[in-house]
Amino acid sequence: MDISKVGVLGAGLMGHGIAQVAAQAGYDVVLREVDQEHLDKGLGRIQKQLSRAVEKEKMTQDDADAVLGRIHGTLDYADYADCDLVIEAITEDLGKKLEMWKELDGIVKDGAVLATNTSSLSVIDQAASTKRPDRFVGLHFFNPPQVMDLLEVVQTVTTDDESLKTGFEFGEKLGKLTVHAKDKTGFIVNRLLVPYLLDAIRAYEEGTGTIDQIDAAMKAGANHPMGPFTLLDFVGLDTTKSIADIMFDEYRERRFAAPPTLRKMVSAGFYGRKSGRGFYDYSGEQPQAVDPGL
């Protein structure tokens, strides 16, 4: 299927990045938010990223202007009517996603492919809420989409071959490494990554090492670019807990259960980098590991 116009729902952490990489690949993009404030914030993030690319001479100003010119911000679902591919990147809440698809499904033209960027929820639950479950796939981008190379293309039991092929071709046009993932909670990456992150917290709780010791050990001993606590803060402790809760609900295994320290930190509002404090304090020039004291 030929794609010329892409719709992205949500201009937040993931949505604005997906919109940007799609526009950079030459697609016309419709980007929706719930209100003008959130939309302006998302468009501002894109402009900031493009300005940074121009400063680093990775892109000309003319190219940056062209990318911005291909992104149309909106508050109206009606602007998705002629999109060939629509990707949702709203909050990780199944109820809100189903409500959104119910409203959007009757607006988007027949033959278009619908996709979810969910990192942990079952794709079929969303596909089945539409009148086109055969034209529904998972397109799981990683944060930030402008930098991370991987795209998990998720096939459900109802996804037809043409829609799956469309997902792969779209990812390849974006320059992503595409991998075929089945509709199993957590897909490939989070199915393996989240238990590792949760076990790092348990290791800390059990006195195996301090936060910075565990981070340093995994960087030097496993050749990871960042340690598990640095990564937890980057992903967001609230996001990690949400994914863990969904995976535990599915698999009912201890390795997927959020440890007490994680649950208490999220309750306290310590989400990581985005809140200024997680397993590290980001108020100074350099992040400093802090004992959660929980």
Side-chain angles (χ1 to χ4, degrees):
M1 174 185 176
D2 292 331
I3 297 173
S4 60
K5 192 172 186 178
V6 176
V8 180
L9 292 148
L13 183 65
M14 295 300 296
H16 85 275
I18 296 170
Q20 181 182 328
V21 296
Q24 287 178 190
Y27 294 109
D28 290 326
V29 178
V30 177
L31 179 62
R32 179 189 182 273
E33 257 297 353
V34 294
D35 56 44
Q36 194 64 45
E37 180 182 354
H38 285 88
L39 180 60
D40 289 343
K41 186 175 181 180
L43 292 172
R45 285 174 172 172
I46 295 172
Q47 191 165 17
K48 184 177 180 180
Q49 290 285 340
L50 293 173
S51 295
R52 189 174 300 166
V54 171
E55 289 174 6
K56 294 182 177 180
E57 298 184 348
K58 294 181 178 180
M59 179 184 292
T60 67
Q61 186 60 57
D62 286 345
D63 287 340
D65 292 340
V67 170
L68 280 174
R70 285 192 286 270
I71 301 174
H72 170 63
T74 185
L75 306 179
D76 191 349
Y77 281 128
D79 289 334
Y80 288 90
D82 61 344
C83 287
D84 304 298
L85 171 67
V86 178
I87 307 166
E88 74 81 17
I90 67 172
T91 186
E92 195 75 336
D93 181 299
L94 181 59
K96 291 181 179 179
K97 292 179 189 293
L98 296 182
E99 183 179 341
M100 179 212 68
W101 286 125
K102 182 179 180 181
E103 186 164 358
L104 191 68
D105 189 30
I107 295 174
V108 180
K109 67 182 181 181
D110 293 339
V113 175
L114 306 181
T116 174
N117 180 58
T118 182
S119 59
S120 54
L121 293 169
S122 173
V123 177
I124 189 59
D125 288 342
Q126 297 183 56
S129 73
T130 73
K131 296 178 181 178
R132 58 184 100 190
D134 55 325
R135 306 289 292 171
F136 204 107
V137 298
L139 292 178
H140 181 211
F141 290 81
F142 290 79
N143 182 35
Q146 301 96 322
V147 175
M148 299 297 284
D149 292 330
L150 183 64
L151 175 65
E152 290 180 320
V153 182
V154 185
Q155 179 182 13
T156 76
V157 293
T158 58
T159 305
D160 64 24
D161 291 341
E162 183 184 0
S163 299
L164 186 65
K165 181 181 178 184
T166 297
F168 277 104
E169 290 176 345
F170 174 69
E172 290 160 6
K173 179 75 178 293
L174 267 53
K176 301 298 183 184
L177 170 65
T178 54
V179 296
H180 185 186
K182 294 296 180 67
D183 190 19
K184 305 287 187 180
T185 302
F187 313 131
I188 295 173
V189 173
N190 282 335
R191 177 69 169 71
L192 300 174
L193 177 63
V194 171
Y196 157 69
L197 295 176
L198 300 179
D199 213 32
I201 300 173
R202 293 190 187 96
Y204 168 74
E205 290 175 335
E206 294 163 4
T208 303
T210 63
I211 290 168
D212 43 3
Q213 286 172 343
I214 293 172
D215 268 0
M218 291 307 297
K219 286 174 65 179
N223 201 29
H224 289 185
M226 63 178 72
F229 292 103
T230 302
L231 181 55
L232 279 159
D233 279 0
F234 181 77
V235 171
L237 304 191
D238 54 335
T239 300
T240 303
K241 180 184 177 297
S242 175
I243 296 171
D245 288 345
I246 291 167
M247 295 178 74
F248 180 75
D249 187 57
E250 175 70 18
Y251 298 116
R252 294 292 171 177
E253 297 180 25
R254 179 179 182 269
R255 58 186 170 143
F256 299 112
T261 297
L262 178 61
R263 290 190 282 104
K264 292 175 182 178
M265 290 179 72
V266 170
S267 294
F270 301 153
Y271 300 151
R273 282 185 174 271
K274 60 187 173 185
S275 70
R277 178 177 171 181
F279 287 102
Y280 289 85
D281 185 334
Y282 298 91
S283 60
E285 291 186 8
Q286 295 293 329
Q288 297 293 324
V290 292
D291 182 351
L294 302 171

